[in-house]
């Protein structure tokens, strides 16, 4: 896995409100965190409505790739995995 910038894949553990780990709303794409730490909009390969808002429910990453507020980007490809324990 890569992000095109050469940064390694990241794994984040929710630091508060586990019920907000994944936000499910049918018009949205994958959205993580109660404050929408990472929101991928529907049709994200052509629509530029995706954004980040970290940290909120997830801790600030150690690298700055997803830290802060970024708006209006598109996604070429995304994979989301659910881990069941």
């Amino acid at each position: 896995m890569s992000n095109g910038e050469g940064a390694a894949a990241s794994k984040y553990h929710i630091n508060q409100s586990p019920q907000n780990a994944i936000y499910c709303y049918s018009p949205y794409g994958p959205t993580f965190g109660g404050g929408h730490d990472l929101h991928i909009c529907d049709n994200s390969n052509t629509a530029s409505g995706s954004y980040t808002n970290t940290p909120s429910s997830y801790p600030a990453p150690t690298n700055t790739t997803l830290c802060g507020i970024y708006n209006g980007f598109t996604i070429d490809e995304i994979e989301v995995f659910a881990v069941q324990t």
Side-chain angles (χ1 to χ4, degrees):
M1 294 175 66
S2 68
N3 70 355
E5 298 289 324
S10 301
K11 182 178 181 179
Y12 298 94
H13 299 277
I14 194 160
N15 66 356
Q16 61 182 0
S17 305
Q19 69 273 13
N20 291 327
I22 300 173
Y23 183 75
C24 297
Y25 182 55
S26 61
Y28 288 5
T31 302
F32 302 93
H36 295 187
D37 294 60
L38 174 61
H39 168 72
I40 307 301
C41 70
D42 191 28
N43 300 313
S44 62
N45 60 328
T46 56
S48 60
S50 297
Y51 58 88
T52 65
N53 185 31
T54 58
S56 180
S57 296
Y58 288 88
T62 55
N63 63 28
T64 58
T65 305
L66 287 177
C67 190
I69 298 173
Y70 298 95
N71 292 301
F73 55 88
T74 58
I75 304 292
D76 291 329
E77 185 175 314
I78 186 168
E79 292 183 357
V80 177
F81 299 92
V83 178
Q84 307 269 332
T85 57

